[in-house]
Amino acid sequence: MSDEKKIDRRAFIVEGSAAVVGVTVAGGARAGAQPAKPAKPSSFSSPAGSVIPYSREELMRRAPARVFGGRALGEIAFPLGGIGTGTVSLGGRGELRDWEIFNRPNKGRSLPFTFVALWARQPGKAPVVQVVEAPLQPPFRGSHGYAREGAQGLPRFRGATFTGAYPFAEVAFEDADLPVQVGLTAFNPMIPLEVDDSSLPVAIFRYSLTNRSASPVDLALAFSILNPIGYDGHSPLGGNRFAGFGQNVTRVRREASIVGLDLTSQKYEPDDILAGSMALVTTHPEVSARPAWEEGAWWDSFQKWFDEYAADGTFDQDGSAGPSADGVSQHATLAPRFSLAPGESKAIVFLLAWHFPLRENYWNREPEVRGRKLRNDYGARFKDAWEVARHAAANLERLEQGTRSFRRALEEGSLPAAVLDAVSSQMSIIRTNTCMLLEGQRFFAFEGTSDDSGCCPLNCTHVWNYEQALAHLYPSLERSMRRTDFLDNLRPDGSMAFRTLVPTGRALWQFKPAADGQMGCVLKLYREWQLSGDEAFLRELWPHAKRALEYAWLHWDADRDGVMEGEQHNTYDIEFYGPNTMMGTLYLGALLAGERMARAVGEEAAAAEYRRVFESGRAKLDAELWRDGYYVQRVPDPSAVKVQEVEQKESWHASSVDRGSIKYQYGEGCLSDQLLGQWLATVVGLGHVLPPGHVRETLQSIYRHNFRHDFFDHPNTQRLYALNDEKGLVLCSWPRGHRPELPFVYSDEVWTGIEYQVAAHLIYEGLVAEGLAVTKAVRDRYDGERRNPWNEVECGSHYARALASWSLLTALAGYSYSAPEQRLTFAPRIAPEAFASFFTTGGGWGVFSQRADRGKTSAALDLRWGALELRRFGFGGTTAKGGRIAATVNGSPLSARLDEETIAFEQAVRLKAGDRLEVEISNK
Amino acid sequence: MSDEKKIDRRAFIVEGSAAVVGVTVAGGARAGAQPAKPAKPSSFSSPAGSVIPYSREELMRRAPARVFGGRALGEIAFPLGGIGTGTVSLGGRGELRDWEIFNRPNKGRSLPFTFVALWARQPGKAPVVQVVEAPLQPPFRGSHGYAREGAQGLPRFRGATFTGAYPFAEVAFEDADLPVQVGLTAFNPMIPLEVDDSSLPVAIFRYSLTNRSASPVDLALAFSILNPIGYDGHSPLGGNRFAGFGQNVTRVRREASIVGLDLTSQKYEPDDILAGSMALVTTHPEVSARPAWEEGAWWDSFQKWFDEYAADGTFDQDGSAGPSADGVSQHATLAPRFSLAPGESKAIVFLLAWHFPLRENYWNREPEVRGRKLRNDYGARFKDAWEVARHAAANLERLEQGTRSFRRALEEGSLPAAVLDAVSSQMSIIRTNTCMLLEGQRFFAFEGTSDDSGCCPLNCTHVWNYEQALAHLYPSLERSMRRTDFLDNLRPDGSMAFRTLVPTGRALWQFKPAADGQMGCVLKLYREWQLSGDEAFLRELWPHAKRALEYAWLHWDADRDGVMEGEQHNTYDIEFYGPNTMMGTLYLGALLAGERMARAVGEEAAAAEYRRVFESGRAKLDAELWRDGYYVQRVPDPSAVKVQEVEQKESWHASSVDRGSIKYQYGEGCLSDQLLGQWLATVVGLGHVLPPGHVRETLQSIYRHNFRHDFFDHPNTQRLYALNDEKGLVLCSWPRGHRPELPFVYSDEVWTGIEYQVAAHLIYEGLVAEGLAVTKAVRDRYDGERRNPWNEVECGSHYARALASWSLLTALAGYSYSAPEQRLTFAPRIAPEAFASFFTTGGGWGVFSQRADRGKTSAALDLRWGALELRRFGFGGTTAKGGRIAATVNGSPLSARLDEETIAFEQAVRLKAGDRLEVEISNK
């Protein structure tokens, strides 16, 4: 609390990367006061003159995590699972929901009678049984009464608060009548760079109980679960009957360090798509169990379960149940039992592991791939779920420490609450069914997910253009995507299939190439090279990337003037015609990246040509499209347009050229994505591709025209992502009129991925308040009551574009890293006098911090994981012209000097986890 | 307001039918004060000593209708439709939802892009388009954004309040920025006794607009609708595509008094189950229209519609659209246009009529009936929907006046708000898909409805035992049910198929008979005879009723001692064994009714035997089952039980006798239904079948033990109808312990039908506060946020058992009517000094009122509809021993005297609609 307060008092908004404008945060001056409640929303004028519809305090407020209560618990579904494992979600009330562990999405479906119930007995009192969940919330709809298969009919706690600090969720349950206080921490291990540790098919639940009464209390915690082996992962389930069930076996297993339920089925051969197992174990040794609830008509089974548990908190069955009859499975219960003396606390850990090694390609219609079986990476690493549980239990301390270290590092940073929330909550996308990790750690991903299927398949280049989190957290997986892009998806003419068919190598997706996606891939290859320093990787992929880049000269920029005029299919699922800066800046960025990569592999002639085309395009785009504050599209005459034939009809595609006219363009509009390529070039460290002044003015215009303070009067015939009093950035507007009769098909929508892209870009260009306002608007829409904070939707849930939120962190920190040059620099855009930020490189991660105080600036790198080798280190103070420099590693001095606005070390500094590099620059 | 206040000040709770205990309603004394806000909930002790968890003011508050706002709009779906026509519901926000006009339930489904949008233009300002609905409410769930096919993306009003006064719904829309005030009244004609007028397949919408600005305003109101002919009534619909669509034709028709859209299809022959038509018409002459929206890719169609409307509020297409291509239909729009001078008001009436004459028996599996086509009564009366619309428009004034007269008569009564709400809201069940009206005005009904099918079929005798509203509002339809019971469903041995297969006459449902249902039918036959005075009807059915009654002597009461001991299948879907008062009182009531009916047809010997068995049973039941405050069940030894073989397995049925033990009984429990037969005997005018003191004490016990003040600590493994802080009456409890391990399968549930039965019975026995508390608890659970006030659910939506609520009205009024005896009496149980109540007889309806003031009592009958012939008239004052009597009809004196606690008229008084009978008794 006091720490946070201290930081609050020092919080500043930085206007531009050089000029520090001190704007004290409102309320920060009252030293020693209680943390102020969020002030009544107000607005202020940003240094750049924008209207910001929040108070400064609201924008700059810091909080280590987001806390929810009451109605805001309703939509929460916090995903628990690793990379490519699927997830089960923890609901805001503490319940389990959305069982998506069966290799596909499954929104809204739960395993019947799978819940945790507390049993408590105080001396001389009747025992009580309570489901460890907050109360149910209206509406209580249902033609036959409210749903009962989540044990809704049993007593529950009176309330709860949910704290979401991805990858950790905490629930504090409240019930004044109970002698014990109960809390839950749930997570799945997530350690940046460590793919194995971050891709375990397990959900870990730690229930903490404290006896707050004056008497000893006998307690039990019964975790009941359906043995769901044979479930197809998306059909409705009721009770314990399903066509796929049968020969289910549930066994109570007791080992030295774990005891639990081993849930299997004898019905399926190992190569069956439904083959799999689950394990529910605890590390608590004293456990009673029931491998199968008694059968019976009506509600007999559940009633008998309740009566048995209520009586004395134990179950008197052990051993094994099953194999079950065809179409039937068992419910089972695992019930750790213990006592607490007054004031005593105990933690009970459950590990719920699953193992469904095979998935089927159900999403493509191409006969070469449809129905093919694909093996999950975890399926190759583990024999069954019990082995997963055993591994996770044995490594629990290490895994949790690594995960906590990561979260702590994130929280140590100076990110305002909404940014921390946007960055950390949306990392979860990597670990939902949007993504898969196949054998050999090959990473594939949908754009997002429909309720019970992925949508749309796979590795869509233009959607994944926006993503930055995977590249920075798990760069080896990001590189596997580049290998797929360039080694699998390039056609002989250099055009790229912008969706991937798996298994790869059998067929390519047949559709016209996407100009934005294809150019983006070149930029992203540059990023992967810069983050990894892997020259072999670059040399392997470069010849293909070169073909992809130069494909532009066939169709899009046939006159090689650096401006795309041809038919440009893009992320709006339509084609743009004529020059526009959205494709244009991606093309320019790709040319710049191409120049650098060509030079790195010794292709100087190619590098020079890319530079020539770049220079031509940069000048021409700006000259032709800049129009009073932002860039427009020049839509050609319909007769001049050449429409590429589509080899494969897609249901979502409609030609933009219709009966001799061109629709679905933006023309004179102010497009939020108009500087997409500029943003990406900035993120990957390529700098400006258009004149900096125009870039900044354009971003101001986008904020002014496209950021809506409410949606009451925004007629939208398209899809709906913002409503009523919500705020958000629309994809396009026409402030000067001339809106086309039918503009591009998503123009009136609000996409979080684009909001993050624009917000980060605003921050990069010093328009910090604007960027924070856009970010806060997004997260306010995902408030737990309106929508799930851990599921930003666009064309599907857990939509990959939202992974752009990572660039908010890199923008605020002014982070830039080049592994080939062993250079790491920061240029904080808030609170330079006391700034900190999490950072990653290809080989390590940690916390950067800097302080500026009375003529002295100092900075430090705390490497928390991995290793890092540096020749240059830059931060806020290194823009100075000189000064006395003191550099140390773990206190031992290093020889260093100021050069090109960085600290240049005489010898490369090698840091390993736990090392601290410090640099101090004093005034001359 | 002031009227209501006056009545409030006079409100009294009457303890017992004779003793008037003056308990002034809290807050009533402050004359001239503003209507008090509902006081903070409190509790008080009833005259009988019960704890009532409300304040007296809350219980006795009167209100003409129930008003909803904010979150309480969310679950509202107010059904608009006639008897046997299906419904479309008006949502709380003013939207149309749950399109159930296609001969089956269809919860949660709407016709895409079917909505009403206002266009308004003030001089010198840009026109605005607003959907005439309140704002959308969270959550805004959806993997591809929030739903858009209800035009959710267009601007809406800022708020609304919804007033539900079934059959009228009113919505007052709020938007301070608009120059006009907009309100909506929606209804379907409902006039008691008038079946034809109450079974029109139409929904009537009257939008009232007032210009509250200082300038003239140009206005249009566009009602858009999908032509859905060919829809199967329960599949998901998106856009205008569905397999059943094709050859759809939408035509703009203009006639002298109506103009509108005629929605048809040429795809189906008249005998096809999908054949049908719809019509959307207005009585406003100045109308523009578009019979088909333009087609297009993406959202082009809706965008173009919006642009056309937004431009100047008109559509420039007329004539006809279609026939459409296979699998496709049209959206069409009807847009009345008008102007309002400052201060001016106008009402625009839309009539939405439908005509789907055939329905298919999809619900039975018996081959004799499955798939058979059934013709709706309205299908035989009207050629098509246009004819329905024309008829409704031509008769609109008459139909609305009759309906308003009915509603007004209900509101004139002294019913406390919760009772008026319970009585009037649940009448709607008769006019939902729970019920059907087939050719020849034969009435059939499910118990209720699942989301897309009826559940369960049909005329279930034991569920419909509780129903009283149809019997009193549409007695001819109730008689058609008795004809089905006795003429179609009786087997040779006298047992009754307690469900009906339609078409009738082909096969009987094969399952063991229901003891409660079968006895109830005898009581109900007595009721129909008493209400109608139709002796021919009695003589036709009596021989069958006699067989049904005496069937009891074969199995249930083989020793003819007046107590059922045998296997008693019943409304809990299981069998009771051994004596119990639930079946026992129904049996006693049936014997009493049998005695009276036998005597009426001259069968004195039978009458005497029924009386003998009755007297034996009455004494024995009381002696054997009365146990310290209520009646218990005597469960026999399992070895003594004879289980009747089930000829047909039903998925919902499980034998109560299981491995040598009997489960699913209640034994020592306090059963809420234990006096079910006593309640029914009281309602139909047969008086007490058990000792009055024990009846009253039992009811007190039921209230004390089974009425829960909250459900926080009520473990329930069964179905859920009450949760958290809600109040409700459970079906059973075991206050003295001895709860069976597996009691009957619904014992822990809360059913509104039983709550109403018990509440009315409490009131009949003078436990008025208790009865009102139970009633208020029900209606508080259906508050618009938790559940839909117009859909009380049990085993299905719109569950028929809730029609028991009508008996609250008869109980409070102490209403009793015998057509054969031409006797109508009242014994008000609240506010006898100023009481009024709606009443019906078989031939008329109106308002009864009574006043008691300083030694003078007076009463009046205002007949508002039909005719009534009376020889005796009783009310609160007629229990006096004598006095000066003055009787008049429309002011003309009549000769009358006091006799047997009624006013006996020398000559039968014949009243017709509009007549007023007045009687005054002065002290001697």
Side-chain angles (χ1 to χ4, degrees), chain A residues 71 75 148 299 717 745 785, chain B residues 71 148 299 717 745 785:
Chain A
R71 290 182 184 280
E75 291 298 299
R148 60 179 282 280
W299 348 103
T717 64
V745 295
E785 181 181 359
Chain B
R71 290 182 183 280
R148 60 179 283 280
W299 346 103
T717 64
V745 295
E785 182 181 0

Side-chain angles (χ1 to χ4, degrees), chain A residues 99 101-102 111 114 223-230 247-253 260-266 275-281 290-292 321 329-334 351-356 384-386:
Chain A
W99 286 80
I101 63 176
F102 306 96
L111 295 190
T114 298
F223 198 138
S224 297
I225 189 166
L226 172 70
N227 177 333
I229 316 303
Q247 302 184 44
N248 290 68
V249 174
T250 301
R251 190 153 66 97
V252 179
R253 283 176 74 171
L261 302 168
D262 188 9
L263 312 166
T264 60
S265 168
Q266 300 170 358
S277 59
M278 287 177 67
L280 174 65
V281 310
R290 172 170 277 283
S329 184
Q330 308 97 20
H331 281 98
T333 299
L334 182 71
L351 296 100
L352 176 66
W354 59 92
H355 191 266
F356 299 98
D384 59 18
W386 190 267

Side-chain angles (χ1 to χ4, degrees), chain A residues 856-898:
Chain A
K856 224 166 58 178
T857 59
S858 61
L861 284 182
D862 284 296
L863 199 69
R864 303 278 168 89
W865 202 271
L868 173 61
E869 198 167 325
L870 278 190
R871 288 184 180 278
R872 286 179 183 272
F873 175 43
F875 56 95
T878 56
T879 54
K881 287 279 172 263
R884 201 171 58 247
I885 293 167
T888 59
V889 168
N890 302 334
S892 308
L894 297 173
S895 177
R897 64 193 165 84
L898 258 179

Side-chain angles (χ1 to χ4, degrees), chain A residues 71 75 136 140-141 143 146 148 153 298-300 303 652 663 716-717 720 724 745 785-786 796, chain B residues 71 75 136 140-141 143 146 148 153 298-300 303 652 663-664 716-717 720 724 745 785-786 796:
Chain A
R71 290 182 184 280
E75 291 298 299
L136 304 159
F140 301 131
R141 224 175 272 156
S143 70
Y146 190 59
R148 60 179 282 280
W298 288 99
W299 348 103
D300 296 5
Q303 183 71 54
W652 45 264
K663 53 184 182 177
N716 175 10
T717 64
L720 299 173
N724 297 349
V745 295
E785 181 181 359
R786 300 159 190 256
Chain B
R71 290 182 183 280
E75 291 298 299
L136 305 159
F140 301 130
R141 222 175 274 155
S143 69
Y146 191 59
R148 60 179 283 280
W298 289 98
W299 346 103
D300 295 5
Q303 183 70 53
W652 45 263
K663 53 183 183 179
Y664 306 150
N716 176 10
T717 64
L720 299 173
N724 297 349
V745 295
E785 182 181 0
R786 299 160 190 256

